[in-house]
Amino acid sequence: MLVRDGTRVTSMLDDLRQLVEIESPSGDPTSLQSSGLAVADLLERRLGRSVHLVHTEVGPHVLWDGGGETRVLVLGHHDTVFPLGTLAARPFAVDDRIVTGPGVFDMLGGIVQGVEGLSRLPVLDHVKVLVTCDEETGSHHSRELIEELATGCRAVLVLEGAGVGGALKTSRKGCGTFGVHVTGRASHAGLEPEAGINALIEAAHQVHEIAALGRPDLGTTVIPTLARAGTLDNVVPAYAEIAVDVRVETNEEKARVEQSFAALAPRLPGAALTVSGGIGRPPMPRSTAIELIALARRLCPGVEDVHVGGGSDGNFTAALGVPTLDGLGAVGGGAHSDDEHLLIDFMVERADLVAGLVRTSTAD
């Protein structure tokens, strides 16, 4: 059902504009400090109570606490993938019931809608809201806090953008990045090529072996995505590195792939390999979302659910066995692209869905 509520929509669009116009690229602590303060202001202004900023070397996480033992954790992030200057080229805009601008879908719109929904509840005891600053770069500085807050909760509600057509996200692949670092030996490519150990050739051997680890039939993808090697065109390269994106649907595949990377061995005599990284986000199984998706369908009849390949902070909470429902944020699309957009006609509906899930999950 499409909902058009002019007053509520206008308020949410005003809040969204404020967040979008403070650029918040991941890994930029100065920008993230500004965006964190803006999110804190939004939470305090709309929900009352003071907000705690959890400072880290990469920026602040924003934590709002409704008091009492936590039964529901609402998760979001205020970092975006877009570099400084994107706003000048692609400013916040509203046209024909569509909102565009960097971060409107992933996931500033979700934050605004979630806060709007919570603001409609007369009581917010037993609710915490955590908006982190490093989700787009792997949540290395927030994972421990997320898991600590989620433990013992009845529900974790994740404000990431919805799936196609507004579908909620009930399962996700585990994901991570591996780095394979090759050490060879430099030599003059014309005078003494035989004296060198070509790290680029070794890396080429490894790329083929790594790509063969994929098991599409099991939902496992292992994709070499970046490679670097060499210094000059007349020098046998002494160093090369490969970045590999990995996605898995089961913990068994996670273990197999991690063991396979650990077992990689050089092909060229004298070459050496080191492997870094891993599958940092465990798979998010649908089993943890069954009760919550049933509740969501009672609150919003006809809503669908979907399995997706991308990861979120919901992967961490679901892996703990905590009931987790994702994709509760903006309905739209184009995440991480110039086509990122949010559909206005679903904003109130999604805000009310979050409110209903919170109200039911916190009830005695």
Side-chain angles (χ1 to χ4, degrees):
M1 179 177 64
L2 302 184
V3 180
R4 296 177 184 239
D5 185 320
T7 302
R8 295 178 69 186
V9 167
T10 298
S11 176
M12 283 191 281
L13 290 178
D14 287 344
D15 290 338
L16 181 55
R17 178 188 291 273
Q18 290 182 40
L19 295 187
V20 171
E21 291 185 346
I22 300 173
E23 294 184 281
S24 54
S26 299
D28 185 330
T30 301
S31 298
L32 291 169
Q33 177 70 19
S34 298
S35 64
L37 290 172
V39 171
D41 174 72
L42 171 66
L43 288 163
E44 290 182 348
R45 179 165 42 84
R46 298 297 306 278
L47 305 182
R49 296 181 178 267
S50 61
V51 172
H52 176 55
L53 293 181
V54 182
H55 294 282
T56 75
E57 64 186 70
V58 296
H61 311 312
V62 185
L63 177 61
W64 182 91
D65 187 350
E69 180 184 9
T70 309
R71 297 176 182 173
V72 174
L73 175 64
V74 180
L75 275 181
H77 64 87
H78 62 97
D79 62 319
T80 68
V81 300
F82 300 102
L84 289 177
T86 302
L87 186 68
R90 194 158 51 85
F92 180 90
V94 180
D95 182 35
D96 194 27
R97 310 291 294 178
I98 296 173
V99 185
T100 55
V104 294
F105 178 72
D106 187 13
M107 63 162 300
L108 303 177
I111 295 171
V112 168
Q113 292 171 187
V115 171
E116 162 64 18
L118 292 174
S119 74
R120 297 283 156 170
L121 297 176
V123 178
L124 286 171
D125 296 347
H126 312 298
V127 178
K128 281 189 174 71
V129 180
L130 176 65
V131 184
T132 65
C133 69
D134 65 341
E135 192 275 343
E136 295 290 5
T137 52
S139 304
H140 301 296
H141 294 83
S142 58
R143 178 175 182 173
E144 184 177 351
L145 178 60
I146 291 166
E147 293 176 337
E148 175 187 338
L149 295 175
T151 300
C153 283
R154 295 178 181 177
V156 173
L157 307 177
V158 186
L159 300 177
E160 292 284 358
V164 175
L168 300 177
K169 297 173 181 178
T170 49
S171 60
R172 290 179 176 272
K173 289 186 179 184
C175 56
T177 302
F178 288 84
V180 179
H181 311 272
V182 182
T183 303
R185 184 169 61 238
S187 67
H188 194 293
L191 297 178
E192 293 186 296
E194 69 284 351
I197 300 172
N198 195 315
L200 177 56
I201 292 177
E202 178 62 50
H205 287 302
Q206 297 301 323
V207 164
H208 284 287
E209 187 164 342
I210 289 166
L213 296 175
R215 286 289 305 274
D217 56 314
L218 298 178
T220 300
T221 58
V222 181
I223 311 297
T225 53
L226 291 173
R228 300 180 183 88
T231 54
L232 293 170
D233 59 8
N234 63 351
V235 178
V236 172
Y239 182 78
E241 58 182 316
I242 309 158
V244 187
D245 180 276
V246 176
R247 315 271 167 160
V248 298
E249 290 191 0
T250 66
N251 285 317
E252 291 76 15
E253 278 296 278
K254 176 179 182 293
R256 179 187 71 83
V257 171
E258 289 178 335
Q259 291 165 5
S260 297
F261 270 92
L264 290 174
R267 299 285 192 88
L268 301 181
L273 299 179
T274 58
V275 176
S276 62
I279 300 173
R281 296 187 193 272
M284 175 181 166
R286 191 176 187 276
S287 58
T288 62
I290 289 175
E291 292 183 5
L292 288 173
I293 189 63
L295 173 58
R297 287 191 172 122
R298 291 198 295 272
L299 296 167
C300 186
V303 69
E304 300 291 336
D305 70 283
V306 67
H307 167 76
V308 295
S312 82
D313 289 336
N315 289 59
F316 300 135
T317 62
L320 297 174
V322 179
T324 300
L325 185 59
D326 204 337
L328 286 160
V331 177
H336 297 191
S337 78
D338 290 344
D339 185 45
E340 185 174 15
H341 62 279
L342 175 153
L343 303 179
I344 290 176
D345 287 331
F346 291 89
M347 293 184 79
V348 170
E349 178 184 274
R350 281 305 167 107
D352 289 344
L353 176 57
V354 171
L357 290 166
V358 170
R359 181 179 60 249
T360 305
S361 299
T362 54
D364 291 321

